[in-house]
Amino acid sequence: MGFSPKSYCSLLFVMVLLPALCHSQDAYVSSRATFYGSPDSLGTPTGACGYGDYGRTVNDGSVSGVSRLYKNGTGCGACYQVRCKIPQLCIEDGVGVVVTDYGEGDKTDFVLSTRAFSRLARPNAALELFAYGVVDVEFRGIPCKYPGYNLMVKVHEHSRFPEYLAVVLLYQAGKNYITAVEVWQEDYQQWRGMRKSYGAVWDMANPPAGALNFRVQVSGGARPKWVQLSSVIPSEWKAGAVYDTAIQLY
């Protein structure tokens, strides 16, 4: 079976284009990074994503505030590989960070926790790196990995049973973004959308009674998809409680 000239041209186009696409997906972007101080070198529990203490300790405290990558909160929970461009002071691989806050510096994309910033440095070079204050870096998006953790739904502390519910999703693996959250309204037999309150926090007044079924819209692949989270939150939910979805969003 032979190929027509048109088929050869199409195959050649794919062979040339595919490596270029793979390279572009893995390419690093040049930027700048600085750091913020905290007593324990971890993140802050009052970050703009609304994660609370999770935002302080997730990823062993290697977290970051971001500016343009914040994306009105949609970028919360995204993971990036960040490496600085001072070879004599910085390790080659850099550090993997989780976005837990909004932060602006001197033309920076990243405001790293003290622990994350120190992990950019070679052994015994952290103090010298901190003296720069702001450093040139390059970064790329990477899949988040949380071995041993499913996606969790936390009932935000500002929730008031039963008239007001706010939730935030934790330990979201992969490279996807959550762009919508809905709750099943049994008496009307329809999905009811939650409001994007701020950061990664979704809320609604007068939520349905009983155990709550959620679905989330996930983007990041070829097209958005809906993933259902069945009976995640019990009928008598409590503010501050965290519930296991038993699934993960890869």
Side-chain angles (χ1 to χ4, degrees):
M1 179 178 175
F3 287 101
S4 68
K6 183 177 180 181
S7 298
Y8 277 118
C9 290
S10 298
L11 180 59
L12 180 61
F13 177 77
V14 170
M15 291 174 66
V16 171
L17 180 61
L18 186 58
L21 286 174
C22 293
H23 176 74
S24 65
Q25 289 172 352
D26 295 333
Y28 280 88
V29 178
S30 294
S31 184
R32 284 155 63 84
T34 186
F35 62 94
Y36 62 90
S38 62
D40 52 13
S41 300
L42 305 178
T44 170
T46 57
C49 289
Y51 286 135
D53 196 61
Y54 168 89
R56 190 178 72 83
T57 59
V58 68
N59 196 37
D60 194 30
S62 286
V63 297
S64 181
V66 293
S67 50
R68 64 189 175 97
L69 298 172
Y70 183 72
K71 302 176 183 177
N72 197 32
T74 302
C76 290
C79 294
Y80 294 93
Q81 191 74 19
V82 182
R83 58 190 191 188
C84 87
K85 299 165 73 173
I86 310 176
Q88 67 272 24
L89 294 181
C90 300
I91 61 173
E92 183 177 350
D93 291 338
V95 62
V97 298
V98 180
V99 174
T100 59
D101 201 356
Y102 179 89
E104 294 185 40
D106 180 12
K107 299 179 181 178
T108 63
D109 277 309
F110 295 90
V111 182
L112 302 171
S113 66
T114 307
R115 179 169 293 188
F117 196 86
S118 69
R119 287 174 173 169
L120 293 172
R122 293 183 180 277
N124 304 314
L127 290 179
E128 192 173 350
L129 188 64
F130 277 117
Y132 275 76
V134 179
V135 295
D136 291 328
V137 299
E138 54 187 12
F139 71 92
R140 66 178 179 179
I142 58 173
C144 296
K145 297 179 181 179
Y146 300 108
Y149 286 94
N150 296 317
L151 181 72
M152 304 283 190
V153 177
K154 177 183 178 180
V155 178
H156 198 275
E157 288 84 352
H158 293 163
S159 299
R160 299 183 305 277
F161 181 83
E163 67 267 16
Y164 172 73
L165 173 65
V167 299
V168 58
L169 287 91
L170 311 178
Y171 298 110
Q172 178 187 341
K175 291 182 70 173
N176 299 309
Y177 296 100
I178 293 176
T179 54
V181 179
E182 296 182 342
V183 178
W184 178 250
Q185 185 89 35
E186 182 66 28
D187 49 353
Y188 289 98
Q189 289 292 293
Q190 66 181 19
W191 290 100
R192 181 178 164 194
M194 300 190 79
R195 179 181 70 112
K196 182 71 171 289
S197 177
Y198 71 95
V201 180
W202 301 82
D203 70 354
M204 70 184 335
N206 302 312
L212 299 179
N213 296 318
F214 291 83
R215 70 175 184 177
V216 296
Q217 187 181 58
V218 178
S219 68
R223 57 184 178 180
K225 64 179 180 179
W226 286 96
V227 179
Q228 187 164 337
L229 316 175
S230 299
S231 300
V232 175
I233 295 182
S235 56
E236 295 187 4
W237 44 266
K238 300 180 184 296
V242 180
Y243 301 100
D244 192 332
T245 69
I247 69 167
Q248 189 53 270
L249 301 180
Y250 291 107

